[in-house]
């Protein structure tokens, strides 16, 4: 009897631990889709990994160049105003600051001495050439799904770059997060170290989109919430999260707070250009992702991403449904209990481009009507855009908005962000100067606030 009781107890413990692990870890990023998966080499329905057909006959360096864009390597490995790929970009985390490393082929400070095996270990498993663990600010838990061939094509391209002598900046982390040895345990629990497996019940286009989104584009690293161990919680896949002081919004199929009510063309245009009529333009990290990565993808690959995003189950977030109607043409109408300080700042610095209606007379990129950030009661991205401005290069030309972070105080920025969300959005924000100061600290590369107040 004691043996039976002991066995039952052991079974209960195992089940409980398994369930707890399932709750903690979340699921495989594509496990929401029905059907069975196979090894990539056994999938015969279409091309999933690698480059699109237009580049199939190109050499490995050209393959790598396309994949470097698809994986958005430059954005994180380039400091503000620095040499591309030379590292130094700051990730401000709740537990300190992590700096990206130099991935040019410099032999002293970059990856010039990396062998193929060492480069694969870094990308798939987060292990440096010296055996030390990389922090998962480098998204190796997503890159692990890349094929060896794609990783080595990326290496081939990076090794054609001019070497940049740029020593790594020391991370500034609090204890125990400064203990790299703990990352071994983190990787055992949260990094599958497995390559992408196509789903035989889904279309070739879906599988290509899944590979682009999960293995290369690592969309979930910004758009999926994290658990207590800072690993992706795929139970709430693409439901939105705050990363480095910016809100990466819900891109699940939820119709109210996600992209469920966007047309395929809207999603395609937003991904490929960073703008879609009625939904506004991308700024901050999403603007960089568009300019440095998504805009380089061929149309078929962007359509594949649309197909995959459409399939992600709806996850509601706490954002209200987006207001899509323009505000009144007169500044005297439309908002009760107006913050006069915010209105004055908007009149002097914003109205000429954004208009009192929110429909820009200058460019659709500056239209505020229908923009998710304006309908976010936290006003996180509105404040960050005011602080950092917008400076994007698109097929339609340069999209520029001045950065007001040095010209206006924290209280000024809070006031105008509150006014913008109240006038053009679903619900006015209630930011304070202290909130804005905190947002400045969270942003990866931000200007310092001025001493004097304005307005």
């Amino acid at each position: 009897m004691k043996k039976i009781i002991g066995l039952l107890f052991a079974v209960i413990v195992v089940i409980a631990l398994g369930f707890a692990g399932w709750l903690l870890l979340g699921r495989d990023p594509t496990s929401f889709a029905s059907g069975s998966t196979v090894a990539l080499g056994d999938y015969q329905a279409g091309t999933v990994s690698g480059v699109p057909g237009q580049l199939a006959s190109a050499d490995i360096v050209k393959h790598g160049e396309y994949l470097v864009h698809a994986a958005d390597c430059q954005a994180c490995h380039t400091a503000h105003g620095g040499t591309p790929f030379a590292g130094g970009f700051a990730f401000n985390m709740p537990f300190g600051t992590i700096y990206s490393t130099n991935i040019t082929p410099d032999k002293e400070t970059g990856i010039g001495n990396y062998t193929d095996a060492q480069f694969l270990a870094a990308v798939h498993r987060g292990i440096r050439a010296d055996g030390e663990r990389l922090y998962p600010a480098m998204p190796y838990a997503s890159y692990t799904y890349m094929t060896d061939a794609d990783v080595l094509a990326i290496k081939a391209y990076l090794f054609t770059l001019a070497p940049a002598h740029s020593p790594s900046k020391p991370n500034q982390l609090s204890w125990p997060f400064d203990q790299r040895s703990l990352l071994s345990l983190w990787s055992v629990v949260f990094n599958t170290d497995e390559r992408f497996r196509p789903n035989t019940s889904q279309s070739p286009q879906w599988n290509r989109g899944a590979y682009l989104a999960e293995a290369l584009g690592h969309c979930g690293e910004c758009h999926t919430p994290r658990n207590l161990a800072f690993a992706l919680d795929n139970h709430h896949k693409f439901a939105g999260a705050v990363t480095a002081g910016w809100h990466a919004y819900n891109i699940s199929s939820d119709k109210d707070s996600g992209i469920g009510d966007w047309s395929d063309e809207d999603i395609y245009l937003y991904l490929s250009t960073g703008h879609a009529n009625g939904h506004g333009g991308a700024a901050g990290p999403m603007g960089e992702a568009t300019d440095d990565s998504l805009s380089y993808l061929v149309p078929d690959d962007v359509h594949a991403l649309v197909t995959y995003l459409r399939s992600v189950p709806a996850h509601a977030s706490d954002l209200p449904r987006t207001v899509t109607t323009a505000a009144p043409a007169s500044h005297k109408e439309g908002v009760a209990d107006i913050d006069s300080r915010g209105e004055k700042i908007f009149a002097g610095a914003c109205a000429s481009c954004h208009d009192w209606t929110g429909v820009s007379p200058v460019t659709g990129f500056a239209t505020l009507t229908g923009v998710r950030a304006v309908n976010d009661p936290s006003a996180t991205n509105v404040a960050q855009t005011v602080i950092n401005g917008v400076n994007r290069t698109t097929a339609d030309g340069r999209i520029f908005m001045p950065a007001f972070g040095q010209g206006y105080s924290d209280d000024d920025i809070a006031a105008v962000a509150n006014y913008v969300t109240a006038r053009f959005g679903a619900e006015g924000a209630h930011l304070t100067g202290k909130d804005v100061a905190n947002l400045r600290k969270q942003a990866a590369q931000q200007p310092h606030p001025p001493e004097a107040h304005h307005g």
Side-chain angles (χ1 to χ4, degrees):
M1 178 62 71
K2 289 183 178 180
K3 289 184 178 180
I4 295 175
I5 293 174
L7 181 60
L8 287 174
F9 179 78
V11 170
I12 291 171
V13 169
V14 170
I15 293 173
L17 289 174
F19 182 67
W22 182 82
L23 288 175
L24 177 66
L25 299 178
R27 298 166 291 179
D28 175 88
T30 62
S31 64
F32 65 86
S34 60
S36 58
T37 63
V38 296
L40 195 57
D42 296 328
Y43 185 73
Q44 304 298 322
T47 300
V48 173
S49 62
V51 297
Q54 298 93 314
L55 294 173
S57 61
D59 62 26
I60 189 173
V61 172
K62 283 294 184 183
H63 286 199
E65 182 179 17
Y66 186 86
L67 296 169
V68 160
H69 284 301
D72 201 13
C73 304
Q74 181 173 336
C76 291
H77 285 278
T78 305
H80 184 65
T83 302
F85 301 103
F89 188 92
F91 296 88
N92 291 328
M93 315 293 281
F95 43 82
T97 301
I98 297 172
Y99 293 94
S100 65
T101 56
N102 182 352
I103 57 170
T104 73
D106 184 70
K107 291 184 179 294
E108 293 183 10
T109 64
I111 60 171
N113 290 319
Y114 270 62
T115 66
D116 286 355
Q118 288 170 335
F119 194 76
L120 286 166
V123 174
H124 283 156
R125 300 166 57 201
I127 300 176
R128 300 188 317 200
D130 63 1
E132 289 282 0
R133 293 278 176 170
L134 293 168
Y135 284 94
M138 158 68 171
Y140 53 83
S142 294
Y143 286 161
T144 192
Y145 295 106
M146 264 196 274
T147 65
D148 288 5
D150 284 356
V151 174
L152 294 179
I154 287 173
K155 177 177 179 282
Y157 172 73
L158 293 176
F159 271 59
T160 67
L161 301 175
H165 188 81
S166 179
S168 297
K169 294 183 178 180
N171 297 324
Q172 300 171 1
L173 301 173
S174 59
W175 188 89
F177 301 101
D178 59 347
Q179 304 299 305
R180 285 185 183 268
S181 58
L182 296 177
L183 294 171
S184 297
L185 177 60
W186 189 95
S187 291
V188 167
V189 179
F190 296 111
N191 183 14
T192 62
D193 191 19
E194 295 178 353
R195 309 297 85 82
F196 182 82
R197 292 175 62 86
N199 188 318
T200 56
S201 297
Q202 303 296 327
S203 69
Q205 187 179 49
W206 184 95
N207 279 294
R208 175 63 175 171
Y211 186 80
L212 288 164
E214 304 296 351
L216 288 167
H218 56 281
C219 305
E221 297 286 341
C222 288
H223 289 278
T224 296
R226 294 181 181 271
N227 60 26
L228 293 176
F230 288 90
L232 299 183
D233 176 11
N234 282 310
H235 291 299
H236 301 94
K237 184 176 184 61
F238 293 171
V242 175
T243 303
W246 288 81
H247 199 152
Y249 289 113
N250 188 335
I251 55 171
S252 77
S253 55
D254 185 72
K255 290 187 176 182
D256 289 328
S257 56
I259 57 174
D261 65 347
W262 292 36
S263 69
D264 286 357
E265 183 67 8
D266 288 341
I267 301 172
Y268 174 87
L269 288 173
Y270 199 88
L271 292 175
S272 58
T273 70
H275 177 264
N277 288 332
H279 302 290
M286 187 62 202
E288 293 173 355
T290 301
D291 294 349
D292 296 338
S293 176
L294 294 165
S295 63
Y296 286 85
L297 301 184
V298 300
D300 283 349
D301 276 353
V302 182
H303 284 300
L305 280 170
V306 174
T307 297
Y308 179 68
L309 290 175
R310 280 289 193 213
S311 74
V312 176
H315 295 288
S317 52
D318 57 1
L319 294 180
R321 190 171 181 84
T322 298
V323 172
T324 58
T325 54
S330 171
H331 68 89
K332 297 179 180 180
E333 303 176 39
V335 182
D337 301 322
I338 291 176
D339 181 337
S340 60
R341 184 179 193 172
E343 183 183 23
K344 288 178 181 178
I345 295 171
F346 186 86
C350 314
S352 60
C353 286
H354 298 291
D355 199 68
W356 292 104
T357 64
V359 179
S360 174
V362 180
T363 171
F365 282 83
T367 289
L368 300 176
T369 304
V371 175
R372 184 66 54 83
V374 172
N375 287 271
D376 177 0
S378 76
T380 297
N381 289 11
V382 172
Q384 291 288 23
T385 302
V386 174
I387 293 168
N388 297 286
V390 177
N391 189 3
R392 296 185 49 215
T393 301
T394 74
D396 296 325
R398 187 184 181 203
I399 304 300
F400 179 77
M401 171 183 154
F404 294 100
Q406 293 181 313
Y408 287 92
S409 70
D410 293 340
D411 289 336
D412 291 334
I413 292 170
V416 74
N418 292 340
Y419 177 77
V420 166
T421 53
R423 182 170 184 83
F424 305 110
E427 181 182 335
H430 301 283
L431 280 180
T432 66
K434 185 177 180 180
D435 295 328
V436 174
N438 187 46
L439 288 174
R440 289 184 192 265
K441 292 177 182 177
Q442 292 180 55
Q445 320 286 325
Q446 76 277 14
H448 297 290
E451 295 295 330
H453 286 250
H454 299 266

